[in-house]
Amino acid sequence: MTEDNQKDRLITQLLRDTLSNKIGWSVVEPPRTMVHATDNYVPLYLETNFNNTRLGIYELRFRHFSDYDEYYWSETLGICIVQNQDIVVWKVEEYSPALRELFDLARERASGLGGLLNF
């Protein structure tokens, strides 16, 4: 099975488990290795525990250079596996509709919006 197939299956399963409330997502600080010694910016990092593995999904903003000193900010989404003390052992950073759907759903669940009006 290719890595793309595995990634797609993982995202699909995470979507299913999030929709059925089998897993929850939390807003946490991104792993140190993702944000130090880089110009990239991670405005939101969400994490869950899936099958005893720490998984993160995040939004990544980065500079896209169009010339030597001209750039514009671009963004993409990422998914990663984190082990030990914030060591990212696997990650994929790309735009995909399924990853966007998972990120939006996880952000909504982590925000507590669903329970905000339940007094």
Side-chain angles (χ1 to χ4, degrees):
M1 185 178 308
T2 66
E3 185 176 336
D4 280 345
N5 260 350
Q6 290 176 337
K7 174 197 50 102
D8 292 341
R9 286 185 57 215
L10 174 63
I11 292 170
T12 300
Q13 190 60 51
L14 290 170
L15 271 167
R16 285 183 188 137
D17 287 358
T18 302
L19 284 167
S20 64
N21 293 320
K22 290 181 182 176
I23 60 171
W25 294 88
S26 301
V27 177
V28 297
E29 290 293 319
R32 183 176 169 85
T33 57
M34 291 178 77
V35 294
H36 285 75
T38 181
D39 289 333
N40 295 343
Y41 175 62
V42 178
L44 182 61
Y45 179 85
L46 303 160
E47 196 169 272
T48 192
N49 189 324
F50 177 74
N51 290 341
N52 297 318
T53 302
R54 286 173 56 198
L55 293 175
I57 55 175
Y58 54 95
E59 186 175 48
L60 177 70
R61 295 186 184 152
F62 57 95
R63 292 183 208 188
H64 183 83
F65 284 87
S66 57
D67 198 2
Y68 179 73
D69 59 349
E70 290 183 23
Y71 65 89
Y72 57 92
W73 287 97
S74 190
E75 66 183 38
T76 192
L77 297 175
I79 184 168
C80 65
I81 296 174
V82 181
Q83 291 181 356
N84 299 332
Q85 302 258 348
D86 290 346
I87 298 172
V88 177
V89 294
W90 175 82
K91 70 178 177 178
V92 173
E93 295 172 346
E94 65 184 16
Y95 178 81
S96 79
L99 186 55
R100 170 52 69 187
E101 186 177 350
L102 176 61
F103 182 78
D104 290 344
L105 180 61
R107 178 174 47 190
E108 178 187 322
R109 298 289 170 94
S111 73
L113 182 62
L116 188 62
L117 298 176
N118 295 336
F119 301 115

Short mmCIF file of all heavy atoms in Angstrom, two decimals, residues 55-102:
data_model
loop_
_atom_site.label_atom_id
_atom_site.label_comp_id
_atom_site.label_asym_id
_atom_site.label_seq_id
_atom_site.Cartn_x
_atom_site.Cartn_y
_atom_site.Cartn_z
N LEU A 55 -1.44 12.26 17.25
CA LEU A 55 -1.59 12.78 15.89
C LEU A 55 -1.92 14.26 15.97
O LEU A 55 -2.71 14.68 16.81
CB LEU A 55 -2.72 12.08 15.15
CG LEU A 55 -2.52 10.61 14.82
CD1 LEU A 55 -3.77 10.04 14.19
CD2 LEU A 55 -1.35 10.45 13.86
N GLY A 56 -1.33 15.02 15.08
CA GLY A 56 -1.61 16.45 15.02
C GLY A 56 -2.06 16.84 13.62
O GLY A 56 -1.63 16.25 12.63
N ILE A 57 -2.94 17.82 13.58
CA ILE A 57 -3.29 18.45 12.31
C ILE A 57 -3.12 19.95 12.53
O ILE A 57 -3.34 20.45 13.63
CB ILE A 57 -4.72 18.11 11.82
CG1 ILE A 57 -5.76 18.43 12.87
CG2 ILE A 57 -4.80 16.67 11.38
CD1 ILE A 57 -7.18 18.21 12.38
N TYR A 58 -2.71 20.63 11.48
CA TYR A 58 -2.35 22.03 11.67
C TYR A 58 -2.45 22.81 10.37
O TYR A 58 -2.47 22.26 9.28
CB TYR A 58 -0.94 22.14 12.23
CG TYR A 58 0.11 21.41 11.42
CD1 TYR A 58 0.85 22.07 10.45
CD2 TYR A 58 0.34 20.05 11.61
CE1 TYR A 58 1.80 21.40 9.71
CE2 TYR A 58 1.29 19.37 10.87
CZ TYR A 58 2.02 20.05 9.92
OH TYR A 58 2.96 19.39 9.17
N GLU A 59 -2.54 24.12 10.57
CA GLU A 59 -2.48 25.05 9.46
C GLU A 59 -1.05 25.60 9.43
O GLU A 59 -0.50 25.93 10.48
CB GLU A 59 -3.48 26.17 9.70
CG GLU A 59 -3.65 27.14 8.57
CD GLU A 59 -4.75 28.12 8.87
OE1 GLU A 59 -4.77 28.69 9.98
OE2 GLU A 59 -5.59 28.32 7.99
N LEU A 60 -0.46 25.67 8.26
CA LEU A 60 0.92 26.13 8.13
C LEU A 60 0.95 27.30 7.16
O LEU A 60 0.46 27.20 6.03
CB LEU A 60 1.80 25.00 7.59
CG LEU A 60 3.26 25.36 7.34
CD1 LEU A 60 3.99 25.59 8.67
CD2 LEU A 60 3.95 24.26 6.55
N ARG A 61 1.52 28.41 7.60
CA ARG A 61 1.72 29.57 6.73
C ARG A 61 3.21 29.70 6.45
O ARG A 61 4.02 29.60 7.36
CB ARG A 61 1.18 30.83 7.39
CG ARG A 61 -0.33 30.75 7.56
CD ARG A 61 -0.93 32.00 8.07
NE ARG A 61 -2.35 31.76 8.30
CZ ARG A 61 -3.07 32.42 9.18
NH1 ARG A 61 -2.53 33.37 9.90
NH2 ARG A 61 -4.35 32.13 9.33
N PHE A 62 3.51 29.95 5.19
CA PHE A 62 4.91 30.02 4.79
C PHE A 62 5.08 31.04 3.67
O PHE A 62 4.11 31.40 3.00
CB PHE A 62 5.41 28.64 4.32
CG PHE A 62 4.63 28.06 3.19
CD1 PHE A 62 5.04 28.23 1.88
CD2 PHE A 62 3.45 27.34 3.43
CE1 PHE A 62 4.31 27.70 0.82
CE2 PHE A 62 2.73 26.79 2.38
CZ PHE A 62 3.15 26.99 1.07
N ARG A 63 6.30 31.50 3.52
CA ARG A 63 6.61 32.46 2.46
C ARG A 63 6.86 31.71 1.15
O ARG A 63 7.64 30.77 1.11
CB ARG A 63 7.87 33.25 2.80
CG ARG A 63 7.69 34.17 3.95
CD ARG A 63 8.95 34.95 4.14
NE ARG A 63 9.06 35.33 5.54
CZ ARG A 63 9.97 36.14 6.01
NH1 ARG A 63 10.88 36.65 5.23
NH2 ARG A 63 9.99 36.44 7.28
N HIS A 64 6.20 32.17 0.12
CA HIS A 64 6.42 31.62 -1.22
C HIS A 64 7.12 32.72 -2.02
O HIS A 64 6.55 33.77 -2.29
CB HIS A 64 5.10 31.23 -1.87
CG HIS A 64 5.27 30.61 -3.20
ND1 HIS A 64 5.57 29.28 -3.35
CD2 HIS A 64 5.21 31.13 -4.46
CE1 HIS A 64 5.68 29.00 -4.63
NE2 HIS A 64 5.46 30.12 -5.32
N PHE A 65 8.38 32.46 -2.36
CA PHE A 65 9.18 33.47 -3.05
C PHE A 65 8.89 33.44 -4.55
O PHE A 65 8.96 32.39 -5.19
CB PHE A 65 10.67 33.24 -2.80
CG PHE A 65 11.09 33.66 -1.42
CD1 PHE A 65 10.99 32.79 -0.35
CD2 PHE A 65 11.55 34.95 -1.20
CE1 PHE A 65 11.36 33.19 0.92
CE2 PHE A 65 11.92 35.36 0.06
CZ PHE A 65 11.82 34.48 1.13
N SER A 66 8.59 34.60 -5.10
CA SER A 66 8.40 34.74 -6.54
C SER A 66 9.64 35.31 -7.21
O SER A 66 9.77 35.26 -8.42
CB SER A 66 7.18 35.60 -6.84
OG SER A 66 7.32 36.87 -6.24
N ASP A 67 10.52 35.86 -6.41
CA ASP A 67 11.80 36.39 -6.88
C ASP A 67 12.74 36.37 -5.67
O ASP A 67 12.35 35.95 -4.59
CB ASP A 67 11.62 37.82 -7.40
CG ASP A 67 12.77 38.29 -8.28
OD1 ASP A 67 13.70 37.48 -8.51
OD2 ASP A 67 12.74 39.44 -8.74
N TYR A 68 13.94 36.83 -5.86
CA TYR A 68 14.93 36.77 -4.78
C TYR A 68 14.45 37.47 -3.52
O TYR A 68 14.60 36.94 -2.42
CB TYR A 68 16.25 37.39 -5.26
CG TYR A 68 17.31 37.38 -4.21
CD1 TYR A 68 17.95 36.19 -3.85
CD2 TYR A 68 17.68 38.55 -3.55
CE1 TYR A 68 18.92 36.17 -2.86
CE2 TYR A 68 18.64 38.54 -2.57
CZ TYR A 68 19.27 37.35 -2.23
OH TYR A 68 20.23 37.34 -1.27
N ASP A 69 13.86 38.65 -3.68
CA ASP A 69 13.41 39.39 -2.50
C ASP A 69 11.92 39.70 -2.51
O ASP A 69 11.44 40.51 -1.75
CB ASP A 69 14.22 40.68 -2.35
CG ASP A 69 14.09 41.59 -3.56
OD1 ASP A 69 13.55 41.13 -4.57
OD2 ASP A 69 14.53 42.74 -3.47
N GLU A 70 11.17 39.03 -3.36
CA GLU A 70 9.72 39.20 -3.40
C GLU A 70 9.04 37.89 -3.00
O GLU A 70 9.38 36.84 -3.52
CB GLU A 70 9.25 39.60 -4.79
CG GLU A 70 9.65 40.99 -5.20
CD GLU A 70 9.09 41.36 -6.56
OE1 GLU A 70 8.08 40.75 -6.97
OE2 GLU A 70 9.66 42.25 -7.20
N TYR A 71 8.12 38.00 -2.08
CA TYR A 71 7.40 36.81 -1.64
C TYR A 71 5.98 37.19 -1.25
O TYR A 71 5.65 38.36 -1.08
CB TYR A 71 8.11 36.14 -0.46
CG TYR A 71 8.13 36.98 0.79
CD1 TYR A 71 7.09 36.91 1.72
CD2 TYR A 71 9.17 37.86 1.07
CE1 TYR A 71 7.10 37.66 2.87
CE2 TYR A 71 9.19 38.61 2.21
CZ TYR A 71 8.15 38.52 3.11
OH TYR A 71 8.15 39.29 4.24
N TYR A 72 5.17 36.19 -1.13
CA TYR A 72 3.83 36.35 -0.58
C TYR A 72 3.58 35.18 0.36
O TYR A 72 4.22 34.14 0.26
CB TYR A 72 2.75 36.43 -1.67
CG TYR A 72 2.72 35.25 -2.61
CD1 TYR A 72 1.89 34.17 -2.36
CD2 TYR A 72 3.51 35.22 -3.76
CE1 TYR A 72 1.85 33.08 -3.21
CE2 TYR A 72 3.48 34.14 -4.62
CZ TYR A 72 2.66 33.08 -4.35
OH TYR A 72 2.62 31.99 -5.19
N TRP A 73 2.67 35.39 1.28
CA TRP A 73 2.36 34.34 2.24
C TRP A 73 1.38 33.36 1.61
O TRP A 73 0.43 33.75 0.95
CB TRP A 73 1.77 34.91 3.52
CG TRP A 73 2.80 35.59 4.35
CD1 TRP A 73 3.08 36.93 4.38
CD2 TRP A 73 3.72 34.97 5.25
NE1 TRP A 73 4.11 37.16 5.25
CE2 TRP A 73 4.53 35.99 5.80
CE3 TRP A 73 3.95 33.67 5.64
CZ2 TRP A 73 5.52 35.74 6.73
CZ3 TRP A 73 4.95 33.42 6.56
CH2 TRP A 73 5.72 34.44 7.10
N SER A 74 1.62 32.11 1.83
CA SER A 74 0.75 31.06 1.36
C SER A 74 0.44 30.15 2.54
O SER A 74 1.11 30.23 3.58
CB SER A 74 1.45 30.28 0.24
OG SER A 74 0.55 29.41 -0.38
N GLU A 75 -0.56 29.31 2.39
CA GLU A 75 -0.87 28.40 3.49
C GLU A 75 -1.28 27.04 2.97
O GLU A 75 -1.74 26.90 1.85
CB GLU A 75 -1.93 28.98 4.43
CG GLU A 75 -3.28 29.17 3.84
CD GLU A 75 -4.24 29.82 4.83
OE1 GLU A 75 -3.84 30.71 5.59
OE2 GLU A 75 -5.41 29.43 4.81
N THR A 76 -1.09 26.07 3.82
CA THR A 76 -1.48 24.70 3.52
C THR A 76 -1.86 24.03 4.83
O THR A 76 -1.78 24.64 5.89
CB THR A 76 -0.33 23.95 2.79
OG1 THR A 76 -0.84 22.72 2.28
CG2 THR A 76 0.85 23.68 3.71
N LEU A 77 -2.27 22.80 4.74
CA LEU A 77 -2.61 22.02 5.93
C LEU A 77 -1.60 20.90 6.09
O LEU A 77 -0.97 20.48 5.13
CB LEU A 77 -4.01 21.44 5.80
CG LEU A 77 -5.14 22.44 5.72
CD1 LEU A 77 -6.47 21.73 5.47
CD2 LEU A 77 -5.23 23.29 6.97
N GLY A 78 -1.49 20.41 7.31
CA GLY A 78 -0.58 19.31 7.57
C GLY A 78 -1.17 18.33 8.56
O GLY A 78 -2.06 18.66 9.35
N ILE A 79 -0.66 17.13 8.50
CA ILE A 79 -1.01 16.07 9.46
C ILE A 79 0.30 15.41 9.85
O ILE A 79 1.20 15.27 9.02
CB ILE A 79 -2.02 15.07 8.87
CG1 ILE A 79 -2.44 14.03 9.93
CG2 ILE A 79 -1.49 14.42 7.61
CD1 ILE A 79 -3.65 13.20 9.50
N CYS A 80 0.43 15.05 11.13
CA CYS A 80 1.72 14.49 11.57
C CYS A 80 1.52 13.48 12.69
O CYS A 80 0.49 13.45 13.36
CB CYS A 80 2.66 15.60 12.03
SG CYS A 80 2.11 16.51 13.48
N ILE A 81 2.55 12.68 12.88
CA ILE A 81 2.65 11.76 14.02
C ILE A 81 3.77 12.28 14.90
O ILE A 81 4.87 12.57 14.42
CB ILE A 81 2.95 10.32 13.55
CG1 ILE A 81 1.79 9.78 12.72
CG2 ILE A 81 3.22 9.40 14.75
CD1 ILE A 81 2.04 8.41 12.10
N VAL A 82 3.47 12.38 16.19
CA VAL A 82 4.43 12.92 17.15
C VAL A 82 4.77 11.83 18.17
O VAL A 82 3.88 11.15 18.68
CB VAL A 82 3.84 14.15 17.88
CG1 VAL A 82 4.84 14.74 18.85
CG2 VAL A 82 3.36 15.19 16.89
N GLN A 83 6.05 11.68 18.44
CA GLN A 83 6.50 10.71 19.43
C GLN A 83 7.40 11.39 20.46
O GLN A 83 7.91 12.49 20.23
CB GLN A 83 7.26 9.56 18.77
CG GLN A 83 6.38 8.67 17.93
CD GLN A 83 7.15 7.52 17.31
OE1 GLN A 83 8.35 7.42 17.43
NE2 GLN A 83 6.44 6.64 16.63
N ASN A 84 7.61 10.67 21.55
CA ASN A 84 8.51 11.12 22.62
C ASN A 84 8.23 12.56 23.02
O ASN A 84 7.10 12.93 23.18
CB ASN A 84 9.98 10.93 22.22
CG ASN A 84 10.31 9.48 21.94
OD1 ASN A 84 9.70 8.58 22.50
ND2 ASN A 84 11.25 9.24 21.06
N GLN A 85 9.26 13.31 23.14
CA GLN A 85 9.13 14.70 23.58
C GLN A 85 9.02 15.63 22.37
O GLN A 85 9.95 16.34 22.03
CB GLN A 85 10.33 15.09 24.43
CG GLN A 85 10.53 14.22 25.63
CD GLN A 85 10.05 14.89 26.89
OE1 GLN A 85 9.79 16.08 26.88
NE2 GLN A 85 9.93 14.14 27.96
N ASP A 86 7.89 15.61 21.73
CA ASP A 86 7.60 16.50 20.61
C ASP A 86 8.49 16.29 19.39
O ASP A 86 8.89 17.24 18.73
CB ASP A 86 7.67 17.96 21.05
CG ASP A 86 6.52 18.33 21.96
OD1 ASP A 86 5.55 17.56 22.03
OD2 ASP A 86 6.59 19.38 22.60
N ILE A 87 8.78 15.06 19.07
CA ILE A 87 9.54 14.75 17.86
C ILE A 87 8.55 14.33 16.77
O ILE A 87 7.81 13.36 16.94
CB ILE A 87 10.57 13.64 18.10
CG1 ILE A 87 11.58 14.10 19.15
CG2 ILE A 87 11.26 13.23 16.81
CD1 ILE A 87 12.53 13.00 19.60
N VAL A 88 8.53 15.07 15.69
CA VAL A 88 7.65 14.75 14.56
C VAL A 88 8.36 13.69 13.72
O VAL A 88 9.38 13.95 13.11
CB VAL A 88 7.36 16.00 13.70
CG1 VAL A 88 6.51 15.64 12.50
CG2 VAL A 88 6.66 17.06 14.55
N VAL A 89 7.80 12.48 13.71
CA VAL A 89 8.44 11.38 12.99
C VAL A 89 7.86 11.18 11.59
O VAL A 89 8.47 10.51 10.77
CB VAL A 89 8.35 10.05 13.78
CG1 VAL A 89 9.16 10.13 15.06
CG2 VAL A 89 6.92 9.65 14.05
N TRP A 90 6.68 11.75 11.34
CA TRP A 90 6.07 11.64 10.01
C TRP A 90 5.15 12.84 9.84
O TRP A 90 4.45 13.25 10.77
CB TRP A 90 5.26 10.35 9.91
CG TRP A 90 4.48 10.20 8.64
CD1 TRP A 90 4.93 9.75 7.44
CD2 TRP A 90 3.09 10.50 8.44
NE1 TRP A 90 3.92 9.76 6.51
CE2 TRP A 90 2.77 10.21 7.10
CE3 TRP A 90 2.08 11.00 9.26
CZ2 TRP A 90 1.50 10.40 6.56
CZ3 TRP A 90 0.82 11.19 8.74
CH2 TRP A 90 0.53 10.88 7.40
N LYS A 91 5.18 13.42 8.65
CA LYS A 91 4.24 14.50 8.37
C LYS A 91 4.00 14.60 6.87
O LYS A 91 4.85 14.21 6.06
CB LYS A 91 4.74 15.84 8.91
CG LYS A 91 5.93 16.42 8.19
CD LYS A 91 6.31 17.76 8.78
CE LYS A 91 7.55 18.31 8.09
NZ LYS A 91 7.90 19.61 8.60
N VAL A 92 2.84 15.09 6.55
CA VAL A 92 2.47 15.40 5.17
C VAL A 92 1.86 16.79 5.21
O VAL A 92 0.97 17.06 6.01
CB VAL A 92 1.45 14.39 4.61
CG1 VAL A 92 0.95 14.82 3.25
CG2 VAL A 92 2.04 13.00 4.54
N GLU A 93 2.36 17.66 4.35
CA GLU A 93 1.83 19.01 4.26
C GLU A 93 1.36 19.23 2.83
O GLU A 93 2.16 19.27 1.90
CB GLU A 93 2.90 20.04 4.64
CG GLU A 93 3.31 19.92 6.08
CD GLU A 93 4.49 20.76 6.48
OE1 GLU A 93 5.21 21.27 5.59
OE2 GLU A 93 4.70 20.90 7.69
N GLU A 94 0.05 19.32 2.69
CA GLU A 94 -0.55 19.49 1.37
C GLU A 94 -2.00 19.90 1.55
O GLU A 94 -2.57 19.74 2.63
CB GLU A 94 -0.51 18.19 0.57
CG GLU A 94 -1.35 17.08 1.18
CD GLU A 94 -1.24 15.75 0.45
OE1 GLU A 94 -0.32 15.59 -0.35
OE2 GLU A 94 -2.11 14.90 0.69
N TYR A 95 -2.57 20.42 0.50
CA TYR A 95 -3.99 20.70 0.54
C TYR A 95 -4.74 19.51 -0.03
O TYR A 95 -4.41 19.01 -1.10
CB TYR A 95 -4.37 21.95 -0.25
CG TYR A 95 -5.86 22.16 -0.21
CD1 TYR A 95 -6.43 22.77 0.89
CD2 TYR A 95 -6.67 21.68 -1.21
CE1 TYR A 95 -7.80 22.91 0.98
CE2 TYR A 95 -8.05 21.82 -1.13
CZ TYR A 95 -8.60 22.43 -0.03
OH TYR A 95 -9.96 22.55 0.06
N SER A 96 -5.71 19.04 0.72
CA SER A 96 -6.63 18.04 0.20
C SER A 96 -8.00 18.33 0.80
O SER A 96 -8.10 18.77 1.95
CB SER A 96 -6.17 16.62 0.56
OG SER A 96 -6.49 16.29 1.89
N PRO A 97 -9.06 18.11 0.04
CA PRO A 97 -10.40 18.36 0.56
C PRO A 97 -10.71 17.56 1.83
O PRO A 97 -11.33 18.08 2.76
CB PRO A 97 -11.32 17.95 -0.58
CG PRO A 97 -10.48 18.11 -1.81
CD PRO A 97 -9.10 17.74 -1.38
N ALA A 98 -10.25 16.32 1.90
CA ALA A 98 -10.52 15.49 3.08
C ALA A 98 -9.78 16.04 4.31
O ALA A 98 -10.34 16.09 5.41
CB ALA A 98 -10.10 14.05 2.83
N LEU A 99 -8.55 16.47 4.14
CA LEU A 99 -7.79 17.04 5.26
C LEU A 99 -8.41 18.36 5.69
O LEU A 99 -8.48 18.65 6.88
CB LEU A 99 -6.32 17.20 4.88
CG LEU A 99 -5.38 17.64 6.00
CD1 LEU A 99 -5.47 16.72 7.21
CD2 LEU A 99 -3.94 17.70 5.49
N ARG A 100 -8.90 19.16 4.74
CA ARG A 100 -9.58 20.42 5.08
C ARG A 100 -10.84 20.13 5.90
O ARG A 100 -11.12 20.80 6.89
CB ARG A 100 -9.93 21.19 3.80
CG ARG A 100 -10.85 22.40 3.99
CD ARG A 100 -10.42 23.40 5.04
NE ARG A 100 -9.24 24.13 4.67
CZ ARG A 100 -8.61 24.96 5.49
NH1 ARG A 100 -9.04 25.17 6.72
NH2 ARG A 100 -7.53 25.59 5.10
N GLU A 101 -11.60 19.12 5.49
CA GLU A 101 -12.82 18.76 6.22
C GLU A 101 -12.48 18.30 7.64
O GLU A 101 -13.13 18.70 8.60
CB GLU A 101 -13.57 17.66 5.46
CG GLU A 101 -14.90 17.31 6.06
CD GLU A 101 -15.67 16.28 5.26
OE1 GLU A 101 -15.26 15.95 4.13
OE2 GLU A 101 -16.69 15.79 5.78
N LEU A 102 -11.44 17.48 7.77
CA LEU A 102 -11.02 17.02 9.09
C LEU A 102 -10.55 18.18 9.95
O LEU A 102 -10.92 18.29 11.12
CB LEU A 102 -9.91 15.96 8.97
CG LEU A 102 -9.32 15.47 10.29
CD1 LEU A 102 -10.39 14.80 11.16
CD2 LEU A 102 -8.16 14.51 10.01
#
